[in-house]
Amino acid sequence: MAAPKATRAPVAWSGAFINLRRWQPGLPLAVTALGVLIALMIAYAAQPQVTLDIGARLDYPYLRGMHGREFTAQTILMRVAALPGSNEVVVAAPLRDDARMATLTLDDWQPDALHPRRLIAVYANDRRINTLDDRGGNRRFRLLLPDDIDLSGGVRLRIEAIPDRTLDVPPVRLIDAEIARALTYRWTSERSTITFPALGHGDWRVELRALVAHPDGGAVNAHVFANGEMIAALPETPGMRRYLLIAPARTLNNGNLNLDITANPYRDPRPLGVSLERVTVTPLTRAPAAALPPWSAVLPAMTIVAGMYGALRAARVPAWIACGAGILVALIGAWALMAYRYPTGLFLEPLAWFVLFTLALTPVADRGVGWIFRKLDTPLDPAVRYALLVIFLVGLWLKGGGLLFPYMRAIDVGWHMDRVRWILDGHWAEMYRPGAFSESVMPINEWGPNRPVIPYSPFFHLFSTSFALLPWSLETSANLFSALLDNSRVFLIALLARKAGLSHRATLFAALIYAVTPVTFLLHSWGNVPTTSGMWWTLVTSTVMVALYPRLHERGPFALLTVLTVITLLFYTVMAVFHIVFIVCFIGIALVAPVGIDRKPLRPVALSLVVALAAATLIYYGQYIPPIVERTIPYMLSLATSGPESVGVARPPFSDYLFSFWRHLRYDMRPNGFLYYGLLIPLAFVVPGFVALRKRPLLWVMLAAWFSVGTLFMLVGYRVSMVDKQLFYIVPAICLCWAIYAERFWRRGWWGKALVATIYLFTLATALDLWVIRILRSPVV
């Protein structure tokens, strides 16, 4: 009898954690690809005119090799005098949309030894728009009003002196304000480039509005190149004029148009080429072939949608649902290309690389999460794991994609990466020593003239030197690192929920509310990556402590907790203090609360903290002990016993301080500019959810410690600056309490399901609204 033939097992690329059979790269993927092509053909059938105002707020993503923004008055519209002794002027009449330049005349102030300069905040309609550096001399200060300030009802301009090197603020007085139409521009250098990626096929008319002349009358010899081919030599004329050029179809590189402008430089001492005000490109070819999408759009668009499809399939999303999601994204992209050819064209390539990264990350995260949950003795239903993976992916696409948007500039990330560059320049030892840059993050108006010594940890910045190994900017790496850490918190929240015995549905509700809450988007727009990473380490360490609580007497779990605690204490100083207080509260509550918690593991918890604190002191904090004893402790004692005025700091009334938190909890942007956190709905369920969790003693004690830390630092933050991070710190706890009642509502029938779904959709909509606002209000370059 013949032996049966061996059958070949299905081929799986297990080395890369990718199973192609799971993706089902058949009809759904083919339909998805066809949908992308059709969407792009619709998008490129419309050939819009593209206008770029050089020197305007959002021109920088298009430009290479140009100097900073400059502006001057084109037409003076009015001059308004301030009342004697006043620091504001009011223009009651409606203003034109282009009345964006204001020239403020200030009082005749001169610097002295005590005040070598005067810093002045400028407000337009109660929104701070600029800071003037007054060093005497010229008394006229020019500034631009932001494009998003409504001028239809006029404008109120106000100035206010702010503390600089001392709390003794010199007075400031406004004489008058001049409103004018603004002419914005930039100077090119010897060779500058204006880029229009994914523009399209065909011939394009290029209109330049430029000044081609040097102050000394020297030859400019300016030439314009389209993707390396010269298309014009610009004649030299005094004053701004229009230059009409043609970029023929043969010069476009797969739909990309790069305009290079070369010139003999005039040095002031900057190398100045031509002064450029505006660039407009207009399609000249209407043939059907010109409407075909260029490869510079097809390849990244296909990569984005196919990458999303693959990541969703790796997360076990049904093929046709993944197909529908991909086509929806393609249609949104097509609309964006038609309505906003730019910056959408600039966004395609970086987004494609980002989606490829998430595609490679998805199977790693899937297996990694499953392995961690198993190692921590927390079984997780596969369907719940896949749902968590989808929540993680969508959150990462929204937050990481927003951070990559061409106009997005997270506020503080540039400052932090400048410190990293300073380290890379050879200042390793200086960064480690006391006073490296702690006082630079301690404003004198918040700390007083005799600031205490605060051991601002350098370890995030030292760690961030590894970003230099990546082939893109440090800022991009820091932003994506922050988004990755933040979105991974959904797994940590789920681990806490499952370890406490919450249902799979409650686990998903807790993770999902974190992913869609506006405050988590807001943190990324601020760009304070040390804070977000420090909070991540505190959550990791706290979660591991709870997950391994019954086994902390064992050598392995104890060592793991101790190592994580050392990292937490070193990575960010403020969060280190939060975590120390959290452990102390956890032990204290576990000892006194009659909730039936096993108290035996409290000894290894305390010992782990003591060992970690000793190690962190030896590694870094020990060098701060003498100055802390000499300066910081007396400062804190003075604050505690005599109030902020004793150290030269003015604080609002305590009631106003508390109300300042309340007004941020809403879900809409207020007219006076307050940003919303979007925490009001889940926060309303903190107390009932906390009470309902009393039957789960370990999680209850952890939540009690969490909320104790939040309450304590809310009170401390009134006296001590820069520690008011308690709302952000307790967001995971808020999510867990909310999940208890979300599940109860869900079980009530159709109305409960509709209520919960509406809350999540509403919260997501407000988060996306906040995200768009923060992107559009990014700092200019």
Side-chain angles (χ1 to χ4, degrees):
M1 183 175 179
K5 293 183 178 180
T7 59
R8 179 172 298 179
V11 177
W13 190 5
S14 58
F17 303 103
I18 297 175
N19 189 331
L20 292 179
R21 290 189 64 190
R22 185 184 303 157
W23 286 17
Q24 296 182 0
L27 183 60
L29 185 57
V31 171
T32 304
L34 180 62
V36 174
L37 286 176
I38 293 174
L40 286 175
M41 292 178 67
I42 295 172
Y44 278 90
Q47 294 179 294
Q49 180 186 77
V50 179
T51 299
L52 177 60
D53 286 330
I54 308 297
R57 180 175 174 271
L58 299 176
D59 67 344
Y60 53 87
Y62 306 84
L63 309 178
R64 303 290 183 273
M66 289 195 184
H67 298 290
R69 303 168 64 218
E70 299 183 40
F71 57 92
T72 188
Q74 190 173 36
T75 304
I76 298 176
L77 300 177
M78 65 180 65
R79 177 175 292 169
V80 182
L83 294 176
S86 174
N87 66 340
E88 71 175 29
V89 297
V90 177
V91 178
L95 294 173
R96 305 162 45 132
D97 285 341
D98 59 354
R100 294 291 168 182
M101 179 174 166
T103 303
L104 307 181
T105 305
L106 303 187
D107 56 70
D108 188 15
W109 176 84
Q110 293 300 321
D112 53 31
L114 182 61
H115 300 109
R117 68 175 183 177
R118 184 172 62 171
L119 292 183
I120 302 169
V122 182
Y123 297 83
N125 294 344
D126 292 325
R127 173 178 160 190
R128 186 168 173 174
I129 62 171
N130 210 331
T131 301
L132 306 180
D133 187 356
D134 185 3
R135 298 179 182 270
N138 182 25
R139 312 313 302 146
R140 289 168 61 82
F141 295 83
R142 302 178 309 126
L143 54 93
L144 289 176
L145 303 179
D147 295 338
D148 57 348
I149 286 185
D150 183 13
L151 301 178
S152 61
V155 66
R156 182 166 72 98
L157 299 173
R158 178 171 59 89
I159 60 174
E160 183 178 301
I162 56 179
D164 184 12
R165 292 171 173 83
T166 69
L167 289 176
D168 181 19
V169 180
V172 62
R173 186 166 55 89
L174 183 62
I175 305 301
D176 61 43
E178 184 180 273
I179 307 297
R181 295 175 58 198
L183 174 66
T184 61
Y185 60 92
R186 290 181 189 254
W187 283 96
T188 68
S189 56
E190 296 99 328
R191 187 178 192 93
S192 301
T193 302
I194 307 165
T195 179
F196 295 97
L199 179 63
H201 294 300
D203 301 322
W204 293 81
R205 185 183 73 183
V206 178
E207 178 183 325
L208 303 178
R209 182 167 174 81
L211 168 63
V212 185
H214 285 334
D216 62 354
V220 180
N221 194 27
H223 294 83
V224 181
F225 298 82
N227 291 329
E229 180 177 324
M230 192 182 78
I231 58 174
L234 302 181
E236 300 174 23
T237 57
M240 286 282 181
R241 62 164 294 182
R242 291 194 309 156
Y243 296 88
L244 298 180
L245 322 173
I246 299 294
R250 68 175 185 276
T251 64
L252 269 72
N253 180 21
N254 292 325
N256 297 327
L257 176 60
N258 293 322
L259 296 174
D260 295 310
I261 302 176
T262 63
N264 296 334
Y266 167 81
R267 299 189 179 274
D268 77 339
R270 298 172 301 166
L272 304 181
V274 302
S275 176
L276 196 60
E277 180 203 354
R278 185 185 296 262
V279 179
T280 303
V281 290
T282 306
L284 295 177
T285 306
R286 295 296 181 184
L292 292 175
W295 283 110
S296 55
V298 172
L299 289 179
M302 283 290 187
T303 301
I304 292 167
V305 175
M308 291 182 60
Y309 178 92
L312 293 175
R313 292 296 297 128
R316 312 309 196 276
V317 173
W320 286 108
I321 294 179
C323 170
I327 291 177
L328 177 63
V329 169
L331 292 174
I332 294 173
W335 165 80
L337 281 168
M338 287 189 294
Y340 306 99
R341 179 63 54 90
Y342 295 98
T344 307
L346 292 163
F347 191 33
L348 290 176
E349 184 176 343
L351 186 59
W353 284 109
F354 177 62
V355 172
L356 281 178
F357 166 74
T358 62
L359 173 61
L361 178 66
T362 301
V364 177
D366 182 21
R367 296 201 174 188
V369 167
W371 180 82
I372 290 172
F373 273 69
R374 287 193 303 272
K375 284 294 182 180
L376 295 177
D377 300 324
T378 310
L380 189 64
D381 187 84
V384 177
R385 188 174 85 243
Y386 303 145
L388 289 172
L389 192 58
V390 172
I391 294 172
F392 166 76
L393 285 172
V394 175
L396 189 57
W397 287 333
L398 291 175
K399 294 174 184 175
L403 289 168
L404 288 173
F405 194 75
Y407 294 157
M408 180 60 179
R409 294 294 184 272
I411 296 172
D412 288 340
V413 72
W415 187 92
H416 288 291
M417 292 305 103
D418 284 343
R419 307 310 298 178
V420 174
R421 279 183 274 266
W422 184 68
I423 298 172
L424 292 171
D425 288 339
H427 298 276
W428 293 81
E430 294 175 52
M431 191 69 175
Y432 182 84
R433 289 195 293 267
F437 67 106
S438 58
E439 290 192 358
S440 65
V441 296
M442 299 168 64
I444 193 171
N445 60 317
E446 296 184 27
W447 290 91
N450 299 313
R451 290 171 284 188
V453 175
I454 301 295
Y456 195 98
S457 172
F459 284 91
F460 166 79
H461 299 84
L462 292 171
F463 163 80
S464 297
T465 57
S466 61
F467 296 160
L469 301 175
L470 301 174
W472 42 74
S473 70
L474 296 178
E475 286 78 4
T476 298
S477 298
N479 282 329
L480 295 183
F481 175 74
S482 178
L484 182 61
L485 291 186
D486 174 65
N487 285 278
S488 68
R489 296 178 90 181
V490 300
F491 299 120
L492 298 172
I493 293 171
L495 180 57
L496 284 174
R498 292 299 299 144
K499 199 66 182 179
L502 299 188
S503 69
H504 287 121
R505 182 179 292 136
T507 298
L508 290 177
F509 281 148
L512 184 59
I513 197 65
Y514 181 86
V516 301
T517 296
V519 72
T520 64
F521 290 78
L522 185 61
L523 281 172
H524 296 297
S525 71
W526 286 340
N528 195 344
V529 191
T531 299
T532 54
S533 57
M535 286 193 295
W536 185 82
W537 280 112
T538 61
L539 182 60
V540 168
T541 307
S542 305
T543 302
V544 167
M545 182 190 73
V546 170
L548 294 176
Y549 187 76
R551 298 171 49 197
L552 288 178
H553 63 280
E554 301 175 15
R555 182 178 301 175
F558 177 82
L560 175 62
L561 178 61
T562 304
V563 170
L564 290 175
T565 305
V566 171
I567 297 173
T568 299
L569 298 183
L570 289 175
F571 221 73
Y572 185 56
T573 303
V574 174
M575 287 298 109
V577 178
F578 271 60
H579 189 68
I580 292 171
V581 177
F582 168 80
I583 297 297
V584 172
C585 291
F586 182 91
I587 295 173
I589 294 170
L591 288 173
V592 302
V595 290
I597 187 174
D598 182 8
R599 295 184 173 90
K600 292 180 180 178
L602 294 178
R603 180 171 296 186
V605 169
L607 182 59
S608 174
L609 177 62
V610 171
V611 173
L613 189 56
T617 302
L618 289 173
I619 293 171
Y620 179 68
Y621 293 113
Q623 60 187 322
Y624 278 90
I625 292 176
I628 286 176
V629 172
E630 179 183 349
R631 291 175 52 185
T632 306
I633 293 179
Y635 179 94
M636 297 300 177
L637 289 175
S638 179
L639 273 177
T641 58
S642 304
E645 294 78 10
S646 64
V647 294
V649 178
R651 296 287 189 195
F654 185 68
S655 58
D656 292 348
Y657 168 75
L658 290 180
F659 182 70
S660 69
F661 291 106
W662 173 257
R663 63 191 175 194
H664 289 300
L665 298 179
R666 287 176 49 175
Y667 293 81
D668 62 309
M669 176 67 75
R670 291 169 176 267
N672 56 8
F674 283 113
L675 290 177
Y676 51 87
Y677 294 174
L679 281 171
L680 190 58
I681 293 175
L683 196 62
F685 292 90
V686 162
V687 173
F690 179 64
V691 172
L693 286 168
R694 187 177 175 84
K695 296 180 181 179
R696 306 180 187 278
L698 186 57
L699 180 60
W700 187 89
V701 171
M702 183 184 188
L703 292 174
W706 235 333
F707 293 131
S708 297
V709 172
T711 304
L712 174 64
F713 278 94
M714 182 177 66
L715 299 176
V716 172
Y718 179 63
R719 296 291 181 94
V720 181
S721 182
M722 294 172 56
V723 299
D724 54 342
K725 296 174 172 60
Q726 63 278 350
L727 271 177
F728 309 105
Y729 175 73
I730 65 172
V731 167
I734 295 173
C735 295
L736 288 165
C737 292
W738 149 258
I740 298 298
Y741 274 82
E743 184 185 29
R744 292 184 180 183
F745 289 140
W746 189 268
R747 293 200 302 258
R748 293 292 183 178
W750 67 267
W751 70 266
K753 293 179 175 62
L755 174 64
V756 172
T758 301
I759 289 173
Y760 277 102
L761 291 174
F762 169 73
T763 306
L764 175 61
T766 58
L768 295 179
D769 181 53
L770 172 66
W771 199 215
V772 170
I773 291 172
R774 295 306 302 171
I775 290 172
L776 295 180
R777 288 192 178 182
S778 296
V780 298
V781 176

